[in-house]
Amino acid sequence: MHSSSETDGSSRSLRLGVAGPVGTGKSSLIATICRQMADQLRIGVITNDIYTDEDARFLRSTGVLPAERIRAVETGACPHTAIRDDITANLLAVEDLEHDFAPLDVVLIESGGDNLTATFSPGLVDAQVFVLDVAGGGDVARKGGPGIARADLLVVNKVDLAPHVEVDVEQMVADATAARDGRAVLALSRHRPETVDQLCHWLTSLLEDHRQGRHTPQDPGPMAPHRHSHDHELGHEVDDAHERLETQPG
């Protein structure tokens, strides 16, 4: 374990979170960044899955980085817990990676797939990307949430698939732009080099601002209150048990 005081500020790597629902292409986006920029930057990756290291193994299999610079955190709980509520495991993993391969320029931290409201704690990342994809529906950007509205970059991913799922990309990007009050939106396909170039340019600019002390981490805001189905069922079981106890003769 390494003290965060050793790596505070612009002297350490830029820590960039990548969040978004399941299947939107977060791992693919990270692989694209690494493939395009590994010759220019020293990059490390931390992935998050509940019970497996599946995303880390996928990224290692692509060969985009030395395998030892891709590490997995098994959260054992809902993905948002490890990136916002209790960041300890991720923070230690990042600091260890930075220590073992110093100096790193960028550490990419991939959240496990979650819903539209999951965001990173600013105590863990300096900036965050929120990823949607056209296969999720053309209206998803209008549904809002802190990641869509206030992440440093919103990516509308897999735009090459739009004709196959009958999504109007221009309208989806327009809806996203309207929801973000001028914050950056990028329509991306890893098969379209001009969009990949735009992603890399955005990251290069962000890294320069980080190094020069011009970038301040922002908190997109907490998740909306919610409960999971098993929590709901457990709540009913507890309530039923209490009722049975209260009706038993004393």
Side-chain angles (χ1 to χ4, degrees):
M1 185 177 95
H2 310 287
S3 169
S4 59
S5 64
E6 297 174 2
T7 53
D8 280 344
S10 59
S11 61
R12 62 153 171 78
S13 70
L14 170 70
R15 300 169 180 175
L16 179 63
V18 180
V22 173
T24 54
K26 298 182 294 295
S27 297
S28 176
L29 183 146
I30 288 173
T32 297
I33 290 174
C34 294
R35 185 178 294 111
Q36 295 298 121
M37 306 195 74
D39 289 342
Q40 310 163 43
L41 303 174
R42 286 179 55 84
I43 301 172
V45 175
I46 302 292
T47 67
N48 279 241
D49 280 300
I50 297 177
Y51 298 121
T52 73
D53 61 351
E54 180 71 25
D55 290 336
R57 286 190 284 116
F58 162 75
L59 288 168
R60 292 181 191 122
S61 74
T62 66
V64 294
L65 286 181
E68 61 271 18
R69 277 200 258 144
I70 301 170
R71 295 183 179 175
V73 170
E74 294 184 27
T75 64
C78 299
H80 63 262
T81 301
I83 65 169
R84 184 170 187 91
D85 301 330
D86 182 359
I87 64 173
T88 305
N90 271 297
L91 191 58
L92 292 177
V94 170
E95 291 178 349
D96 284 346
L97 191 65
E98 289 173 335
H99 178 271
D100 293 346
F101 298 100
L104 291 176
D105 296 301
V106 179
V107 175
L108 301 168
I109 306 167
E110 179 185 0
S111 169
D114 209 307
N115 59 36
L116 291 175
T117 66
T119 58
F120 286 84
S121 166
L124 177 59
V125 300
D126 301 300
Q128 46 196 296
V129 177
F130 200 83
V131 186
L132 303 176
D133 76 308
V134 297
D139 64 340
V140 68
R142 296 197 298 271
K143 295 182 178 180
I148 289 175
R150 295 185 292 278
D152 296 85
L153 176 67
L154 177 65
V155 170
V156 177
N157 203 12
K158 308 180 189 176
V159 295
D160 54 302
L161 300 181
H164 305 288
V165 293
E166 300 182 349
V167 166
D168 182 336
V169 172
E170 289 188 7
Q171 184 60 54
M172 191 171 179
V173 170
D175 291 341
T177 302
R180 287 178 54 75
D181 194 26
R183 296 178 181 88
V185 178
L186 173 62
L188 177 69
S189 167
R190 63 188 176 92
H191 301 295
R192 297 182 180 177
E194 70 278 8
T195 68
V196 174
D197 288 346
Q198 290 170 359
L199 175 64
C200 294
H201 176 74
W202 177 84
L203 178 54
T204 300
S205 298
L206 175 65
L207 178 59
E208 183 60 22
D209 285 344
H210 171 72
R211 287 170 169 168
Q212 298 301 321
R214 296 191 296 258
H215 176 77
T216 301
Q218 301 295 316
D219 187 354
M223 292 185 63
H226 72 292
R227 68 191 306 179
H228 299 279
S229 58
H230 63 274
D231 295 333
H232 184 65
E233 293 165 1
L234 179 60
H236 278 304
E237 291 172 4
V238 172
D239 291 341
D240 291 344
H242 286 167
E243 288 178 7
R244 288 194 298 271
L245 285 171
E246 290 170 358
T247 56
Q248 287 179 358

